[in-house]
Amino acid sequence: MKSFKENLIVWLLLIGLALLFHWRYINEFPAHIHAWVQADRYALAIGFTENNFDFFHPQTFDYGNHSFADSLHHEPSRITAVDFPMHDVIPALIMKAAGTQPPWCFRLYILLYSLVGLYFLFKLAKVVGNNYFNAILVMVLAATSPVFVYYQSGFLPSIPSLANGIIGLYFYLKFLTHQNRKSFYFSILFLTLAALSRLPFAILLLSVMGVEILKTYKTKKIEVWKFISIAIGLLAILGYFLYNKFLSYKYGSAFLNHPLPVKDIADIPDFIFTSIKNWGLQYFSWGHYAIFFVLLILTFVVWNKKKTPLSEASILLLFIFSGSLVYAFLMLQQFPNHDYYFLDTGFLPIIFWVALMLPKTPEIKRLLWRKLSCIAIVSLCVFMVVNAVKSQARRRSTGTWDKTNTMIKNYEGSEKFLDSLHISKQTKFLVTGVQATNIPFLLMHRKGFALLEYSLPDVITEATNWKYDFAFFHNDSLRDDVDKKFFPVTSQLTHWFFSGDYILAAKSTKKLSEITRRSDSKPIYSNAINFINDSANGWESEIIFDSKGKIGIIPPTQEYGVGVKITDPKILCGSGRKFIVNTTLFAENENAKDFLLVTACNQNGKNVFFKGYEISKALQVSKQPQNITAIYHLPQLTTNNPELVFFFWNRRKNTVCYKRMEVGLY
């Protein structure tokens, strides 16, 4: 009964902390710090729901995911190399069972796995210290680490692998105490699972092997069954590692799969200092460090007085620390900008060290000092909890500087927009100038190719051969610097479709005509310029013709080009009206800017609708004539003096020519 009550208290504490830390964010789309890699994992899970759970061919939404390929000679593919994707498949199964694919399916799985890991951390600390309250303190220290809390309900495999590592260590320490073979087998199983999903956790299995080798050396007795178990685990890790290399060679990889040590040993202090400066108070809070400082002093005292040999648990800790330092050195370039690498390396050995040292703290005999110590520890724990809550909010702070957040907002309505055009989910898209590969496609719920904001020239050159159906842009994302950088790709686009906040572009008329044709309805109003007769009835403003070239010209001196005005209430009044413009244009000046297609609606002399598409963005990409289609979704007008006005707005004195001009009201 006592054990049940103790475990119940632990679980109530864990669930309370989980609710406090995560209830606001449990269905949050991957955003903020390291949104890129978290979105990649989310895409993997959805990918499994679409490939019939083909475990050995994981795929994302991005066809060009070759950032970390082992070969440059492979066809574009959504398949990617990735560590054993167990923690992507299980969320996919949850999605399949739920019949939906929201982020909470993934986040809740990772959160629950983390709680199991923290519970076993409590049990581990109790095994090594045989003290209930010390074990709770160890668990709380781990559960309130800001970096742990941030990823605790995230998408990364570091958290479930950490949990598996803790479970494996618990069973191994239990084996050392009770010599139960079943505990040893469970230990190897969970340590193997930890390493399969996140390779650096192989350090734990290798550390167990190191302890067993030392025991064999001391006792001169080989327990073959142990080494067979360890060998099976290591072979499983090696086998999937080699298969992963094969996937990387054949298909490429969206995930880093090779060491990144510093190039010059002299740079090591700078990388360590920068990592601590960037993430030191995210690894742990000042409350954690206060407790660590006291335990560090105690460690030196115990070490100096120690006359008996190190315990097997202490030797295991030394192996884990050493392995973690080696791995940290091999990946040191990642640490200044990637906080989650700490979860793969330093986090567990530090917490394990705390669990080993707490039982060695001297007993406080005076009641007053004992009470003061308890108050101090409880106060520190409260501080750590409050700090973790505040850290969750701070990590989600955003602003105009946050390009990833801007990108997410730009693409949030894209799926609904594409669905409204009846564009198939199998259609392939190109997105340019983005900060992460899978985020746009997750929000579009389509697949395609992504050119990152910082894509290298050779990637941009390769992109000219990519086979996609449409390029997709947000009106705000076609910036001048992006246009220039991706000119080899965007210059291939000749047909543009503007509607609301979004722009579609294609290399041929056929692709867009399938979207823009309206065979099911006829316009209630239409007009077109006939260049053959040098006349245009019903058009506003002066129209300048080049009769020889059979084109219209808007010179720099003309601010408002060709336009049309409709005032007939019978035509304008009605719900769901759309005004569609089709034209073919090209700019004679290379840097055409601020050239807009504008439609405005007035009601009784008051403006009720104004929308301008800056089509100069399309004119900049190529000297070829650009076929433009623009759709304006009009508000419902009443019969009280309605008016629709359409015109070219030449705000920057461009020279623009048009070969055709058609407008229609539907």
Side-chain angles (χ1 to χ4, degrees), residues 361-420:
T361 53
E363 183 181 356
I364 301 173
K365 296 181 179 180
R366 293 185 61 178
L367 182 61
L368 176 62
W369 286 105
R370 191 182 302 172
K371 288 182 178 179
L372 290 174
S373 299
C374 290
I375 291 172
I377 291 173
V378 170
S379 299
L380 284 174
C381 288
V382 170
F383 168 79
M384 290 185 291
V385 170
V386 172
N387 179 75
V389 172
K390 291 181 177 178
S391 175
Q392 282 279 71
R394 285 194 298 267
R395 279 176 167 254
R396 287 166 169 82
S397 61
T398 186
T400 55
W401 48 267
D402 189 346
K403 292 183 179 180
T404 301
N405 188 62
T406 300
M407 174 183 62
I408 291 171
K409 287 184 176 180
N410 284 347
Y411 283 89
E412 275 180 344
S414 56
E415 180 182 6
K416 185 177 180 181
F417 167 74
L418 294 171
D419 286 346
S420 71

Side-chain angles (χ1 to χ4, degrees), residues 370-633:
R370 191 182 302 172
K371 288 182 178 179
L372 290 174
S373 299
C374 290
I375 291 172
I377 291 173
V378 170
S379 299
L380 284 174
C381 288
V382 170
F383 168 79
M384 290 185 291
V385 170
V386 172
N387 179 75
V389 172
K390 291 181 177 178
S391 175
Q392 282 279 71
R394 285 194 298 267
R395 279 176 167 254
R396 287 166 169 82
S397 61
T398 186
T400 55
W401 48 267
D402 189 346
K403 292 183 179 180
T404 301
N405 188 62
T406 300
M407 174 183 62
I408 291 171
K409 287 184 176 180
N410 284 347
Y411 283 89
E412 275 180 344
S414 56
E415 180 182 6
K416 185 177 180 181
F417 167 74
L418 294 171
D419 286 346
S420 71
L421 298 175
H422 306 290
I423 296 179
S424 166
K425 301 287 188 185
Q426 307 308 314
T427 303
K428 294 181 185 177
F429 288 87
L430 168 73
V431 294
T432 64
V434 295
Q435 287 72 44
T437 52
N438 277 291
I439 287 178
F441 300 126
L442 282 166
L443 292 168
M444 296 162 66
H445 210 83
R446 268 82 175 171
K447 289 79 181 176
F449 299 87
L451 279 173
L452 296 168
E453 186 178 27
Y454 51 84
S455 290
L456 297 175
D458 59 335
V459 177
I460 296 173
T461 301
E462 180 186 351
T464 59
N465 297 317
W466 286 347
K467 299 186 186 321
Y468 55 88
D469 299 300
F470 301 107
F472 187 87
F473 308 95
H474 188 276
N475 272 323
D476 296 335
S477 67
L478 265 179
R479 303 184 305 276
D480 290 344
D481 57 333
V482 171
D483 293 337
K484 292 175 181 177
K485 180 170 186 176
F486 300 118
F487 182 80
V489 177
T490 55
S491 63
Q492 297 177 320
L493 305 171
T494 58
H495 296 72
W496 298 75
F497 176 81
F498 292 76
S499 180
D501 293 329
Y502 301 107
I503 305 169
L504 286 173
K507 299 178 184 180
S508 67
T509 305
K510 182 180 178 182
K511 293 292 183 182
L512 278 176
S513 64
E514 294 172 358
I515 297 173
T516 58
R517 68 170 178 258
R518 302 184 58 86
S519 58
D520 58 335
S521 63
K522 294 182 179 180
I524 55 178
Y525 168 88
S526 63
N527 204 348
I529 295 179
N530 183 350
F531 288 106
I532 298 175
N533 301 324
D534 286 1
S535 64
N537 297 321
W539 292 86
E540 300 288 321
S541 188
E542 180 184 4
I543 299 177
I544 303 173
F545 290 96
D546 179 341
S547 57
K548 184 178 180 180
K550 295 183 180 179
I551 59 174
I553 301 173
I554 302 172
T557 55
Q558 190 175 21
E559 181 176 0
Y560 298 102
V562 61
V564 69
K565 181 188 290 186
I566 307 172
T567 57
D568 187 348
K570 294 180 181 179
I571 295 175
L572 291 175
C573 298
S575 61
R577 292 283 194 263
K578 295 180 183 179
F579 188 68
I580 300 180
V581 179
N582 287 287
T583 183
T584 301
L585 305 137
F586 62 92
E588 290 195 351
N589 50 314
E590 292 185 0
N591 297 312
K593 290 183 179 180
D594 286 346
F595 188 84
L596 289 81
L597 286 180
V598 177
T599 293
C601 291
N602 302 315
Q603 188 76 68
N604 202 24
K606 184 179 179 181
N607 181 257
V608 294
F609 175 82
F610 186 95
K611 180 70 176 180
Y613 293 121
E614 190 178 340
I615 60 171
S616 52
K617 296 173 180 178
L619 301 181
Q620 288 175 1
V621 302
S622 175
K623 293 182 180 179
Q624 301 179 65
Q626 301 294 304
N627 297 287
I628 309 291
T629 296
I631 295 183
Y632 303 85
H633 298 268

Side-chain angles (χ1 to χ4, degrees), residues 215-429:
K215 285 172 64 178
T216 300
Y217 177 76
K218 289 178 181 178
T219 61
K220 310 299 181 183
K221 180 182 177 182
I222 300 177
E223 296 180 272
V224 177
W225 64 272
K226 290 183 180 179
F227 290 101
I228 290 176
S229 303
I230 294 171
I232 291 172
L234 291 175
L235 284 173
I237 296 167
L238 178 62
Y240 193 83
F241 174 81
L242 294 175
Y243 177 71
N244 209 26
K245 283 293 181 182
F246 162 74
L247 286 179
S248 181
Y249 183 85
K250 186 172 182 179
Y251 301 107
S253 177
F255 304 94
L256 180 63
N257 53 14
H258 58 79
L260 276 178
V262 293
K263 296 178 181 178
D264 190 333
I265 294 179
D267 293 334
I268 291 178
D270 288 338
F271 275 87
I272 294 174
F273 175 78
T274 304
S275 301
I276 294 173
K277 179 183 175 183
N278 291 348
W279 305 114
L281 290 176
Q282 294 299 312
Y283 295 157
F284 297 107
S285 70
W286 286 117
H288 290 82
Y289 290 121
I291 294 173
F292 296 163
F293 179 72
V294 173
L295 291 178
L296 189 61
I297 294 174
L298 181 63
T299 300
F300 283 113
V301 172
V302 171
W303 184 272
N304 289 330
K305 291 184 177 181
K306 191 79 172 176
K307 294 181 180 179
T308 57
L310 289 173
S311 66
E312 290 174 325
S314 297
I315 294 171
L316 176 63
L317 175 61
L318 288 175
F319 273 119
I320 296 172
F321 257 124
S322 302
S324 297
L325 285 173
V326 171
Y327 181 79
F329 173 76
L330 291 174
M331 302 302 298
L332 194 53
Q333 283 194 51
Q334 291 292 88
F335 277 79
N337 297 313
H338 298 79
D339 55 348
Y340 58 87
Y341 273 78
F342 180 71
L343 294 172
D344 303 330
T345 51
F347 183 82
L348 184 53
I350 289 174
I351 296 298
F352 188 20
W353 164 70
V354 172
L356 290 177
M357 292 309 303
L358 275 178
K360 297 180 176 16
T361 53
E363 183 181 356
I364 301 173
K365 296 181 179 180
R366 293 185 61 178
L367 182 61
L368 176 62
W369 286 105
R370 191 182 302 172
K371 288 182 178 179
L372 290 174
S373 299
C374 290
I375 291 172
I377 291 173
V378 170
S379 299
L380 284 174
C381 288
V382 170
F383 168 79
M384 290 185 291
V385 170
V386 172
N387 179 75
V389 172
K390 291 181 177 178
S391 175
Q392 282 279 71
R394 285 194 298 267
R395 279 176 167 254
R396 287 166 169 82
S397 61
T398 186
T400 55
W401 48 267
D402 189 346
K403 292 183 179 180
T404 301
N405 188 62
T406 300
M407 174 183 62
I408 291 171
K409 287 184 176 180
N410 284 347
Y411 283 89
E412 275 180 344
S414 56
E415 180 182 6
K416 185 177 180 181
F417 167 74
L418 294 171
D419 286 346
S420 71
L421 298 175
H422 306 290
I423 296 179
S424 166
K425 301 287 188 185
Q426 307 308 314
T427 303
K428 294 181 185 177
F429 288 87

